[in-house]
C-alpha cells in the first residue's frame, strides 16, 4: 500500500534496506546473521531477497508472480508438530499442546505431499504441506500452517512421517502422487507401521479414489483416507489454473515472512533467549513458506495440448509447487459439497 501511494505521488515513502544497515545500527547482531546464513534451508537466492534487498529476475514466462503469493502471506501463527520427545512426554495427556480444536464440522485438515527419495543438493525433496480449510459460504478458506521438506529417505521412513503428521494434526486426508516413487510410499502406507521412538503402531491406509491403487493394500481395515494423484496434461493444467485462481480470490493463505514471524515469536515464545536449535525449529515453517514462494514464482509456463504446465528452468525444483498444487486441487473439488443446489421451477434440481 505504501509503495502504491508513493508511486502515485501521495505522502508516503517506502524503501528496502539490506542487512548491512541493520548490522551497522544494531538492529541485527552478527550472531543472528550467522544463524541465518548457517540455516540449511536458507538458499543464496532466498538470503539475497529477504536480507540483501535484491530481487530475482523471474522472467516473462512466470505464470504466478511474487505479488500473487505475498498478498496472501497473512498467517502469523504456525502449527508446530511435536518432536518425538514432546510426543512421549505428553502421550498420556488428555489435552496435548500441539492439538487444536476444530471450528466447524465441515472443517478439513489435509496433508499434501510430493515424493522424492534420492538424496543430494541437486535432487528434489519430499515436501509435505499441512493445511486447515474452514468453510465460508460456498468456499473453503485454506491456511497452509506448516510445511516440511525431507531430502532423501526411504519409502518406509516417508510413510512413517506422513502417518505421524496425519495423527499429530488430526487430519482427514492425505493427497499425494501415486505414480512412480509415490507408488512405493503408497504401498508402505498400506502396511501397519511401528514407530519405535514414540512406541505406537499406526494402522494401514489406502487410496480411495483409484480402485487399482486401493487394491494394492491387502488389509480390509485400512483407512480410506489417501487421495491419489496421477498427473497428466489435463491434471497439470487444472493444478496450475486452480492454484492461480485460489491466489487471486484469496482463498489460499500462507505464513507471514520471517521478519514478521520472528516478531511474533519474540512476543509469544521468548525467542531471543532460546538456544540456536530451538530458534531454527520455530523459524522453520516461515522459511519453508518463503522457499515455496520462491520456487513457484520461478516456474515457467509451457503450453500443452490440454492447456498449460508449469515447468522448472535450469536447476530449479517444483516439489513444493507440486505438493501445494495437489492439496489445493483436492480442496477445490471438496468445495462442490459446500455449494447449495440450485432451484429450478420451485423444485430442487438433483441433476
Amino acid at each position: 500500500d505504501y509503495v502504491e501511494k508513493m508511486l502515485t505521488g501521495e505522502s508516503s515513502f517506502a524503501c528496502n534496506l539490506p542487512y548491512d544497515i541493520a548490522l551497522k545500527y544494531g538492529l541485527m547482531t552478527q550472531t543472528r546473521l550467522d544463524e541465518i546464513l548457517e540455516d540449511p534451508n536458507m538458499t543464496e537466492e532466498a538470503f539475497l531477497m529477504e536480507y540483501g534487498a535484491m530481487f530475482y529476475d523471474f522472467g516473462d514466462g512466470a505464470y504466478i508472480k511474487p505479488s500473487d503469493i505475498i498478498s496472501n502471506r497473512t498467517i502469523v501463527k504456525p502449527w508446530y508438530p511435536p518432536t518425538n520427545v514432546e510426543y512421549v512426554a505428553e502421550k498420556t495427556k488428555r489435552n496435548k499442546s500441539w492439538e487444536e480444536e476444530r471450528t466447524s464440522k465441515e472443517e478439513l485438515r489435509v496433508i499434501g505431499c510430493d515424493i522424492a527419495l534420492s538424496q543430494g543438493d541437486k535432487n528434489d525433496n519430499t515436501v509435505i504441506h499441512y493445511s486447515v480449510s474452514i468453510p465460508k459460504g460456498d468456499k473453503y478458506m485454506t491456511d497452509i500452517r506448516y510445511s516440511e521438506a525431507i531430502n532423501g529417505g526411504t519409502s518406509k521412513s516417508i510413510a512413517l512421517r506422513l502417518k505421524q503428521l496425519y495423527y499429530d494434526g488430526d487430519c482427514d486426508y492425505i493427497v499425494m502422487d501415486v505414480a512412480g516413487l509415490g507408488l512405493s510410499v503408497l504401498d508402505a502406507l498400506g502396511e501397519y507401521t511401528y514407530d519405535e521412538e514414540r512406541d505406537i503402531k499406526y494402522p494401514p491406509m489406502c487410496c480411495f479414489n483409484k480402485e487399482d491403487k486401493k487394491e494394492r493394500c491387502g488389509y480390509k481395515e485400512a483407512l480410506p483416507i489417501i487421495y491419489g494423484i496421477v498427473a497428466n496434461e489435463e491434471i497439470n493444467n487444472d493444478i496450475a489454473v486452480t492454484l492461480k485462481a485460489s491466489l487471486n480470490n484469496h482463498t489460499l493463505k500462507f505464513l507471514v515472512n520471517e521478519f514478521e514471524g520472528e516478531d511474533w515469536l519474540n512476543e509469544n515464545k521468548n525467542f531471543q533467549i532460546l538456544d540456536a536449535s530451538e530458534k531454527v525449529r520455530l523459524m522453520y515453517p516461515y522459511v519453508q513458506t518463503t522457499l515455496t514462494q520462491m520456487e513457484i514464482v520461478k516456474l515457467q509456463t509451457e503450453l500443452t495440448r490440454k492447456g498449460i504446465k508449469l515447468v522448472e528452468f535450469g536447476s530449479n525444483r517444483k516439489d513444493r509447487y507440486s505438493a501445494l498444487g495437489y492439496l489445493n486441487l483436492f480442496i477445490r473439488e471438496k468445495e462442490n459439497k459446500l455449494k447449495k443446489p440450485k432451484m429450478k421451477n420451485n423444485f430442487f434440481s438433483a441433476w
Side-chain angles (χ1 to χ4, degrees):
D1 291 343
Y2 289 105
V3 174
E4 291 178 0
K5 291 179 179 179
M6 180 178 68
L7 293 176
T8 56
E10 296 186 41
S11 181
S12 292
F13 173 73
C15 66
N16 190 15
L17 301 175
Y19 66 92
D20 312 68
I21 303 297
L23 282 176
K24 182 176 181 179
Y25 291 97
L27 300 175
M28 176 187 287
T29 65
Q30 184 63 49
T31 300
R32 176 61 185 140
L33 178 62
D34 292 340
E35 290 175 357
I36 294 169
L37 290 170
E38 292 170 2
D39 186 343
N41 298 296
M42 180 61 69
T43 66
E44 181 180 359
E45 291 169 350
F47 177 78
L48 291 175
M49 287 185 65
E50 292 294 325
Y51 300 96
M54 297 179 68
F55 295 91
Y56 185 85
D57 181 11
F58 298 102
D60 297 330
Y63 181 64
I64 296 174
K65 309 298 182 184
S67 58
D68 294 331
I69 299 178
I70 292 172
S71 63
N72 289 292
R73 294 190 69 170
T74 59
I75 308 169
V76 178
K77 181 183 177 181
W79 173 72
Y80 292 103
T83 64
N84 286 332
V85 173
E86 289 173 333
Y87 183 91
V88 171
E90 298 187 40
K91 186 175 181 179
T92 58
K93 288 186 178 180
R94 183 173 182 178
N95 297 313
K96 300 174 178 61
S97 60
W98 59 86
E99 293 179 341
E100 297 180 341
E101 280 191 39
R102 291 178 178 256
T103 58
S104 164
K105 291 182 179 179
E106 294 177 315
E107 177 182 310
L108 288 177
R109 298 187 181 186
V110 181
I111 287 174
C113 182
D114 185 51
I115 307 295
L117 301 179
S118 298
Q119 189 172 12
D121 293 339
K122 295 182 179 180
N123 294 309
D124 288 342
N125 296 305
T126 289
V127 173
I128 304 169
H129 296 300
Y130 168 80
S131 70
V132 175
S133 298
I134 299 173
K136 182 180 180 182
D138 61 356
K139 297 288 185 182
Y140 270 116
M141 307 302 293
T142 300
D143 293 351
I144 307 299
R145 297 188 183 177
Y146 177 78
S147 299
E148 184 173 307
I150 304 169
N151 189 251
T154 64
S155 299
K156 290 183 178 180
S157 66
I158 298 299
L160 172 60
R161 187 55 181 154
L162 284 170
K163 289 185 178 183
Q164 287 178 337
L165 292 171
Y166 177 85
Y167 283 100
D168 292 345
D170 187 26
C171 292
D172 302 296
Y173 301 100
I174 296 173
V175 184
M176 57 179 282
D177 56 319
V178 292
L181 294 174
L183 200 58
S184 64
V185 175
L186 178 67
D187 289 342
L189 287 166
E191 299 292 335
Y192 282 95
T193 305
Y194 178 64
D195 187 335
E196 293 184 3
E197 294 194 46
R198 298 186 177 191
D199 188 26
I200 186 172
K201 188 176 184 180
Y202 296 109
M205 302 171 171
C206 68
C207 183
F208 67 86
N209 66 312
K210 296 185 180 298
E211 194 62 32
D212 61 323
K213 301 298 187 290
K214 182 178 181 179
E215 291 174 352
R216 298 178 68 91
C217 178
Y219 295 99
K220 293 181 179 180
E221 67 271 25
L223 302 178
I225 54 87
I226 300 172
Y227 184 86
I229 299 280
V230 177
N232 54 38
E233 289 185 346
E234 184 174 356
I235 293 293
N236 288 331
N237 176 76
D238 291 346
I239 287 172
V241 172
T242 304
L243 182 58
K244 177 79 168 180
S246 297
L247 294 170
N248 288 345
N249 62 27
H250 303 292
T251 55
L252 184 62
K253 300 290 186 178
F254 304 89
L255 292 171
V256 297
N257 63 44
E258 291 91 324
F259 294 106
E260 295 174 85
E262 187 168 339
D263 287 341
W264 182 83
L265 290 171
N266 280 324
E267 293 176 5
N268 296 275
K269 299 288 186 179
N270 296 318
F271 187 72
Q272 292 298 336
I273 65 174
L274 300 175
D275 61 41
S277 61
E278 184 63 7
K279 285 182 177 179
V280 169
R281 187 180 79 87
L282 293 178
M283 286 296 296
Y284 184 80
Y286 301 105
V287 173
Q288 285 298 318
T289 302
T290 294
L291 293 175
T292 298
Q293 172 188 319
M294 291 189 61
E295 178 183 293
I296 291 174
V297 300
K298 287 191 289 186
L299 297 175
Q300 301 295 295
T301 310
E302 182 180 276
L303 294 177
T304 69
R305 293 171 298 176
K306 298 290 186 178
I308 64 171
K309 177 184 180 181
L310 301 194
V311 296
E312 307 97 317
F313 179 76
S315 60
N316 296 333
R317 295 170 172 173
K318 60 180 293 187
D319 35 79
R320 291 178 174 87
Y321 161 75
S322 296
L324 180 64
Y326 299 156
L327 184 157
N328 186 64
L329 185 66
F330 174 73
I331 293 295
R332 302 313 153 196
E333 289 181 1
K334 297 291 285 185
E335 275 181 346
N336 293 329
K337 292 187 177 181
L338 297 178
K339 301 183 188 298
K340 295 179 180 179
K342 295 181 179 180
M343 295 293 291
K344 185 176 181 181
N345 296 327
N346 296 324
F347 291 96
F348 282 110
S349 175
W351 304 100

